[in-house]
Every structure is written in C-alpha cells, then in structure tokens.
Amino acid sequence: MKINWPLVLGLLLIGGVIYLAIAGPALAPRDPLEENLILQDEVTGQWHIPPFEAFALTGFPLGSDEFGRDVYSRLLYAVRPTLQMVLVVAAVRLVLGTLIGLVAGWSTGRTGGFFDSLISSALALPGLLVALGAIAIVGVELGVTAFIIGLSLTGWAETARLVREQTRSIRSEVYVEAAQALGATDAQIVFRHVVRQIRAMLLMLLAFEIGGTLMLTAGLGFLGYYIGGDVWIDVADFVARRTSGSPELGQMLATAWVRLTDPWGLVAVGSVVFAAVLGFNLIGEGLRLRLDPESGMIRIRWLSDGLGRLRLGLEQAWYPAGRLLFGSRLAVSLWMIAFGFGVGYAAIYAWQAGIIKLPEPQTGMFFEAQPTATPTAPPAGTGEQEDTGAQTLPTAPVAAEPEGTAIAASFRTGSYSMVTGISLYQVVTTIPSSTSAEI
Amino acid sequence: MLRYFTRRLLLIPPALLLVNFLGYAYAHFARPLRAARTPFLPFVQPTGPLIPAYREYLTTFLNPELRTANQAGVLGSIQEATIASLGLIAVALVLSVLIGVLLGLAAVRNEPAGVARWLTFVSTSGLAMPSFYIGSLLIASSVGYVLWAGPGTELPFEIQGFGWDKHLVFPVIALMARPTMQIAQLTAGILSGELSKQYVRAGRSLGQTWRAIRLKYAMRNILAPVILTVTASFRLLVGELVVVEWLFAWTGLGRLLAQTLVPPLRTDSAETLLFLDPQVVAIILTIFAGLFLTADLLASFAVRSIDPRLRER
C-alpha cells in the first residue's frame, strides 16, 4: 500500500492556485491598472521612473512594467481570468478529443482509416505553431473564442489518441459482443458501455489537458498573443502602438521583461505558470496511478464502497423515474423545448443583469486620441495618496508639460483607456534618460 | 523495404509543394484581413486572385534571374536563419537524447521491474516547465551572479543574440529540457515493461547478469520505440524553438516565424514588413515541413533496419 504522492502534491499545488484565483484580487496591495509616471521612495527618498526595478522601490516588490503598473498586484489579479479561459479551452479540447476518439476507435474501414489519419496528422503538428497561425488570422479581438479556435484546432489529438486506444480495447470485450447479439445499436453500445468505461480516464485527461493548455497559453502570451491584447493607439500620424490592458498571465509574460537586466517579473509570472502546470500534471499522473490496478495505491475503502452504494441506490431510484420522464419521444421533445426556453430565459436575464455583455459594434481598433479624456488634476490637497510605502503625487495633466520636465503623476486607466496610454507614452518618450539621476 | 522508401521519398516533394501553397494562401488571405481590422499594415495593397499571385511568386523565386532585390534579401535572411536554427536544434537534440536515455536507464529497477519514483517527479517537473521559464531562470541566475560578484563582472554566458560560442549555452539548455524529460520518461517506461517479460526471467535463470540482459537483449528490443520517441521529441523541440529564439534573440527560423505571425509593438518598426508576408510564411513553413518529413523518414528507416518484424510492412 502506497500513498499517492503525485495526487496529494498536485491537489496541494492546485489548491494554492485556486486560492490565488479566488482571493488574489483581495490580497493585491495596489490597483493593477494604476499607472505611475514617476514615484519617490519614501524610505530612500529616491525618485524612480518606470519600469521600476524589482526590490528597488518600496511597495513594488516585483517592480513594475513599462507603464509603472505594480507587477505583484497584477500577478494576483491575473490568475483568475487565465484560469477561467484555460478551463474553457481544455473542456472544449476534451470534448472534441473524446468524440473523435470514440468515432475513430469504434469505426472500421474507410471511416476508421480517415479518423486515424486525422489524429496522426494533428499529432504531427506542433500545437504552438498551429495556435499562433490560427490566432494570427482570427485576431485576439475575438477574446476567448480566438483562443478556443487556436488551441483546439489540433489540441484534441492527444485525448483522441488515448480514447481511441481505449475504445478499441473495449470493443473486443465479450460484453460488447453480448450487447450486439441482443440487438443494441452502435450508438447505444458506445454511450452505455464504452463511455461508462472511459469516464474515469476522462478526469485524468482533463487534468493533463488543463496543464497542456496553460503551457500553450503562456507560450502564446509570451510571444504577444493574450486575452485583451492587440489594442492599438495612435502615437503619430503614421505610427500606432500595441499596448495591453487588464492583467492576465499571458499578457504579463509579454510585458514583464522590459529591461534586460531585470528579469525578476518574468520569473515570478513564470513560476505561477509552472506551479499551476505542475499541479495539474501531478494530478493527472496521480489519477493515472489511481486507475492502474497494479500500482497498489491506497484506496479509502469505506469512501469508495459508500459512494458505490449511493450510486447503485440512485440508479435503482432513477430507473422508473427515467422511464416515466424520458420514456417516449413526446416526453423527450417536451423536455428539449423546456430546456431551450430555460437557456433563452437565462441568457436574457444575464444580459439584462449585465452578467454577460454583447460586443459593441466597432469600425476598427484604431482609436483616435480624444482631448476631453485627458486626466485632470484633482483639487489641491486631494491628490491620491498610497499607503503602501511609495509616495504617490497628485494627478497632473501630463500632455501639456514641456519636454524634459520632471512630471510626477499617478492615475488609473481602464483596459482600453487609449488616451491615457498616448499621454503616458508621449511623456515618457520626452523625458531624457538622465532625468531620474538629476532628480 | 526499398519500395516503401522510394514511395516515401517520392511523396516528399509534392507534400512540400502543398505546404508551400497552403502557407502562401494562408498569409495571402490573412494579411488584408488583419490589415482591415487593425491599424496594421495600412499600406497593404489589395491582393489579387491567389493562383496568379502564387504562380508569379514561384516563378520569380525559382528563377534567380527573375528575383527582385527584396526577394534575394529575404532568401539570404532565411538561409542564415535556417543555419542558425539547425545548429541549435542539432546540439539540443543530441544532448537531449544522450541525457534522456541515460536518465531513463538509470531510473529503471531490475527486480521487481519498475521505474524509480524520483523520475516521476523529475520528469513531471521538467515537462511542466515552459521553455521561456527555464530561460528566464537562467537569465535571472546570470544577472544575480553579476550583482553578487560586483561591478565589472562579466556575464558567464551571453543572454541575448546569436553566436556559435557562449551564446549557444542558454538557448540549448532551455530548448532541450522538455524533450530530455520526455525521452527519459518513455525510455524508462518501455525498458521497465521489457524487463518484466518472460525471456528476461529465463535469461536470469540461465545465469546472465542484469547488465548483459539489458545491453544484449532489452536495449535491442526497445531501440525502435525509443527512436520513435526521439522523433516525437524532435517535433516538441521544433515547436519550442519559436519561444526560445524569441527569448534569447536568436536570429533563427523560429524567431523569424514569430515575427511573421505576431504583430510588432510599433507599426513603424521594420518588422511590420514581415508580418504575414506570404512569401516568408510559405518558405518558413516549407522548411519546417521538410524537417518533419525528413525526421520521420529517417526514423522509419532506422526502425525498420533495427526491427525485422517491421520490414515487411
């Protein structure tokens, strides 16, 4: 009897990551969107301009990106959206892979051959290159959909291969032959027998899928494709600049390493990605060991027996109820209509409540600078003051400052607040490199 | 076997031509599509029909006399990038195979046959490490060393740029980490399965040493699947190439491909010209496809040479 250490360690790691995803925003000391043009360290009295180095400025333990946004706070905010997106993509990949694997494993002749070739071709292509190509054409403006398309195009192949092998081995079992002899159709056998046999494996595959998807997502983010990316701002008549907004792990990987000698931000974000991928892979490995009867892993007998009895009782209770509720085509049709109404009602309710938002009609992503949106200075004495160590000076209208002037400003911008980005960009480029030393 | 390889060899040129056409067609349609949606490529000319454009591209590229100065420059850059990438891949692959196989062999227990638990954790950790993370750790340790040693200290290994010297060390380590773990894991799994077979027990009862059984019998039997694993690792390695070359500014094919598929930060940068350029995309994808097909062919040849059971197929 052995303890399933991979499963235990994986659950601990993922527990930590889920905690970060849930409680991260509450733990963040700063607003992740707050941009800082220049800050004075209240301990050392030194002035700093972005990107702030790690461990150099009080209140910015991991430094900042090029807009002066706190990397530590952004990291705490970033786990949740990334994890949500990865879960959706992994689920899509799993469903696709399972369906294709079932068909490939069950079919014979030309259909089987076609699906075999399809799986082999998808396995032969590097996932990152396919995803890069797909997202390059679809564009990240589509949000999560772009990642679902890019990462699922060939990402289902590994799951499909494993499901196909399992389906083929189940196909030759005696009980399948018996079911065929009793007149069961292929669909009935696949869903009643094959799916039932492989569903334990699907949980393991889901864990591996999440790990793999997260790894690919991080790679894409590092190269510059991330959720909410590809927002463009006008810098001059003929120059536009790509920028980034709300915190997400991929986006942070793309923007955390600004200065060659300051890779700590990239290491911190990479560590979170590594911990999450490792956790999911360990869970997958632990579940694989759990499914292997020769591994001798500990089973909590009273729990598994109890769950088995509970499932049997539910099945016995469900059988007559199921016959009554789904026994005829009419009943099934009525249920489907009711389900359709339910989904429609839920969608309308969610839209009205503002839970889901329909995309705004856009003529393009080329935003024009609007002078009205320039941040204005607050009344004297009411400037934003931070309580995390670094002294933050009152907001100032930055665009009007002359070249070379030391500007102290701290303001918050939304994900797509282009105008602030332009102002910041212009000001940062007009400050000579010697300014911080002079200050 | 000769017929099999002749057929495979004859299939390669049409397959490459197909990939080249698909790559060209992809960028031909994607470029104006992206330009319409972003401020990107504001100077993109409306593209004509695909087939005449592709025919013209093929004619000019295949005939050196008809090539424009731009096309000659593109071909020169791609040639240099190919050499840079192939060198990196070759070094990383050789080291991955050596270290991976040795790790796999070291992790297998003879009696009872099984894989040591440390390999599970080492390989799971290694496979969970994205190459950019390994690269960033290497860079951070370098920077940390310089900060610790004081001003005037040189970096032990270069962290950016291309060169067949110290520049090679970090990209190779970042590139080979995951393939090494994959090879180690699979080698150990296959060897462990082989050592639990009946003939091993028979060999032991006849007085053969474990060393002799491993080297004479088990290794020969597992060589074919190990070679197939190495081919799979090669694909993984080529996939990682894009990220590693991007991180270390290695001027190879992976970086070039990333530049053609990822918009640069500013539209006035020189890289804008590369973004979704049909000619560049088509050539790079053809080179990658050529690498995969060659690796696959060599692996098939090696496997069939080693395992007589496969020769008849």
mmCIF file of all heavy atoms in Angstrom, chain B residues 167-183:
data_model
loop_
_atom_site.group_PDB
_atom_site.id
_atom_site.type_symbol
_atom_site.label_atom_id
_atom_site.label_comp_id
_atom_site.label_asym_id
_atom_site.label_seq_id
_atom_site.Cartn_x
_atom_site.Cartn_y
_atom_site.Cartn_z
ATOM 1 N N HIS B 167 27.092 32.057 -26.587
ATOM 2 C CA HIS B 167 25.694 32.399 -26.867
ATOM 3 C C HIS B 167 24.811 31.154 -26.932
ATOM 4 O O HIS B 167 23.610 31.211 -26.728
ATOM 5 C CB HIS B 167 25.585 33.119 -28.209
ATOM 6 C CG HIS B 167 26.102 34.510 -28.183
ATOM 7 N ND1 HIS B 167 27.420 34.814 -28.360
ATOM 8 C CD2 HIS B 167 25.475 35.692 -28.005
ATOM 9 C CE1 HIS B 167 27.590 36.123 -28.293
ATOM 10 N NE2 HIS B 167 26.431 36.687 -28.078
ATOM 11 N N LEU B 168 25.428 30.033 -27.246
ATOM 12 C CA LEU B 168 24.664 28.821 -27.511
ATOM 13 C C LEU B 168 24.154 28.139 -26.228
ATOM 14 O O LEU B 168 23.165 27.392 -26.270
ATOM 15 C CB LEU B 168 25.594 27.858 -28.273
ATOM 16 C CG LEU B 168 25.014 26.739 -29.106
ATOM 17 C CD1 LEU B 168 24.142 27.289 -30.205
ATOM 18 C CD2 LEU B 168 26.155 25.936 -29.731
ATOM 19 N N VAL B 169 24.823 28.420 -25.105
ATOM 20 C CA VAL B 169 24.594 27.614 -23.897
ATOM 21 C C VAL B 169 23.151 27.735 -23.382
ATOM 22 O O VAL B 169 22.439 26.725 -23.236
ATOM 23 C CB VAL B 169 25.603 28.027 -22.786
ATOM 24 C CG1 VAL B 169 25.330 27.255 -21.503
ATOM 25 C CG2 VAL B 169 27.017 27.763 -23.259
ATOM 26 N N PHE B 170 22.699 28.937 -23.122
ATOM 27 C CA PHE B 170 21.368 29.101 -22.538
ATOM 28 C C PHE B 170 20.241 28.651 -23.475
ATOM 29 O O PHE B 170 19.331 27.945 -23.038
ATOM 30 C CB PHE B 170 21.153 30.547 -22.094
ATOM 31 C CG PHE B 170 21.821 30.887 -20.782
ATOM 32 C CD1 PHE B 170 21.849 32.189 -20.304
ATOM 33 C CD2 PHE B 170 22.418 29.890 -20.016
ATOM 34 C CE1 PHE B 170 22.466 32.495 -19.088
ATOM 35 C CE2 PHE B 170 23.039 30.182 -18.817
ATOM 36 C CZ PHE B 170 23.063 31.497 -18.349
ATOM 37 N N PRO B 171 20.281 29.056 -24.766
ATOM 38 C CA PRO B 171 19.217 28.562 -25.647
ATOM 39 C C PRO B 171 19.157 27.036 -25.719
ATOM 40 O O PRO B 171 18.070 26.457 -25.730
ATOM 41 C CB PRO B 171 19.569 29.163 -27.013
ATOM 42 C CG PRO B 171 20.394 30.348 -26.721
ATOM 43 C CD PRO B 171 21.129 30.049 -25.464
ATOM 44 N N VAL B 172 20.324 26.396 -25.713
ATOM 45 C CA VAL B 172 20.325 24.925 -25.794
ATOM 46 C C VAL B 172 19.705 24.325 -24.537
ATOM 47 O O VAL B 172 18.869 23.416 -24.617
ATOM 48 C CB VAL B 172 21.775 24.396 -26.014
ATOM 49 C CG1 VAL B 172 21.854 22.914 -25.724
ATOM 50 C CG2 VAL B 172 22.216 24.669 -27.430
ATOM 51 N N ILE B 173 20.070 24.848 -23.373
ATOM 52 C CA ILE B 173 19.518 24.303 -22.115
ATOM 53 C C ILE B 173 18.002 24.496 -22.085
ATOM 54 O O ILE B 173 17.244 23.579 -21.758
ATOM 55 C CB ILE B 173 20.173 24.967 -20.885
ATOM 56 C CG1 ILE B 173 21.658 24.621 -20.835
ATOM 57 C CG2 ILE B 173 19.500 24.504 -19.596
ATOM 58 C CD1 ILE B 173 22.430 25.347 -19.749
ATOM 59 N N ALA B 174 17.554 25.703 -22.452
ATOM 60 C CA ALA B 174 16.108 25.975 -22.425
ATOM 61 C C ALA B 174 15.367 25.094 -23.427
ATOM 62 O O ALA B 174 14.252 24.642 -23.162
ATOM 63 C CB ALA B 174 15.848 27.450 -22.732
ATOM 64 N N LEU B 175 16.003 24.828 -24.552
ATOM 65 C CA LEU B 175 15.354 24.061 -25.612
ATOM 66 C C LEU B 175 15.310 22.570 -25.301
ATOM 67 O O LEU B 175 14.344 21.880 -25.620
ATOM 68 C CB LEU B 175 16.122 24.303 -26.919
ATOM 69 C CG LEU B 175 15.433 23.974 -28.225
ATOM 70 C CD1 LEU B 175 14.140 24.752 -28.364
ATOM 71 C CD2 LEU B 175 16.342 24.300 -29.402
ATOM 72 N N MET B 176 16.356 22.058 -24.662
ATOM 73 C CA MET B 176 16.451 20.613 -24.508
ATOM 74 C C MET B 176 15.753 20.076 -23.255
ATOM 75 O O MET B 176 15.567 18.866 -23.134
ATOM 76 C CB MET B 176 17.916 20.184 -24.480
ATOM 77 C CG MET B 176 18.699 20.743 -23.318
ATOM 78 S SD MET B 176 20.391 20.199 -23.300
ATOM 79 C CE MET B 176 20.219 18.756 -22.282
ATOM 80 N N ALA B 177 15.341 20.947 -22.355
ATOM 81 C CA ALA B 177 14.826 20.467 -21.067
ATOM 82 C C ALA B 177 13.612 19.549 -21.235
ATOM 83 O O ALA B 177 13.604 18.417 -20.736
ATOM 84 C CB ALA B 177 14.474 21.662 -20.191
ATOM 85 N N ARG B 178 12.609 20.006 -21.951
ATOM 86 C CA ARG B 178 11.382 19.198 -22.063
ATOM 87 C C ARG B 178 11.587 17.932 -22.901
ATOM 88 O O ARG B 178 11.170 16.854 -22.477
ATOM 89 C CB ARG B 178 10.238 20.047 -22.601
ATOM 90 C CG ARG B 178 9.795 21.089 -21.578
ATOM 91 C CD ARG B 178 8.611 21.872 -22.067
ATOM 92 N NE ARG B 178 7.431 21.056 -22.121
ATOM 93 C CZ ARG B 178 6.417 21.245 -22.961
ATOM 94 N NH1 ARG B 178 6.465 22.219 -23.833
ATOM 95 N NH2 ARG B 178 5.373 20.476 -22.931
ATOM 96 N N PRO B 179 12.241 18.023 -24.075
ATOM 97 C CA PRO B 179 12.480 16.784 -24.818
ATOM 98 C C PRO B 179 13.282 15.758 -24.012
ATOM 99 O O PRO B 179 13.009 14.563 -24.075
ATOM 100 C CB PRO B 179 13.267 17.251 -26.047
ATOM 101 C CG PRO B 179 12.894 18.658 -26.230
ATOM 102 C CD PRO B 179 12.657 19.193 -24.862
ATOM 103 N N THR B 180 14.256 16.233 -23.220
ATOM 104 C CA THR B 180 15.058 15.310 -22.411
ATOM 105 C C THR B 180 14.173 14.534 -21.448
ATOM 106 O O THR B 180 14.278 13.313 -21.322
ATOM 107 C CB THR B 180 16.122 16.096 -21.605
ATOM 108 O OG1 THR B 180 16.882 16.866 -22.509
ATOM 109 C CG2 THR B 180 17.021 15.179 -20.832
ATOM 110 N N MET B 181 13.280 15.256 -20.792
ATOM 111 C CA MET B 181 12.401 14.605 -19.818
ATOM 112 C C MET B 181 11.440 13.642 -20.508
ATOM 113 O O MET B 181 11.128 12.575 -19.984
ATOM 114 C CB MET B 181 11.620 15.658 -19.028
ATOM 115 C CG MET B 181 12.474 16.458 -18.088
ATOM 116 S SD MET B 181 13.390 15.346 -17.020
ATOM 117 C CE MET B 181 14.899 16.217 -16.809
ATOM 118 N N GLN B 182 10.978 14.033 -21.684
ATOM 119 C CA GLN B 182 10.064 13.163 -22.422
ATOM 120 C C GLN B 182 10.772 11.854 -22.802
ATOM 121 O O GLN B 182 10.221 10.757 -22.608
ATOM 122 C CB GLN B 182 9.596 13.885 -23.687
ATOM 123 C CG GLN B 182 8.399 13.230 -24.332
ATOM 124 C CD GLN B 182 7.967 13.970 -25.589
ATOM 125 O OE1 GLN B 182 8.798 14.464 -26.346
ATOM 126 N NE2 GLN B 182 6.682 14.031 -25.812
ATOM 127 N N ILE B 183 12.006 11.975 -23.297
ATOM 128 C CA ILE B 183 12.758 10.781 -23.701
ATOM 129 C C ILE B 183 13.052 9.918 -22.471
ATOM 130 O O ILE B 183 12.896 8.694 -22.513
ATOM 131 C CB ILE B 183 14.071 11.186 -24.417
ATOM 132 C CG1 ILE B 183 13.738 11.843 -25.764
ATOM 133 C CG2 ILE B 183 14.966 9.984 -24.642
ATOM 134 C CD1 ILE B 183 14.916 12.499 -26.459
#
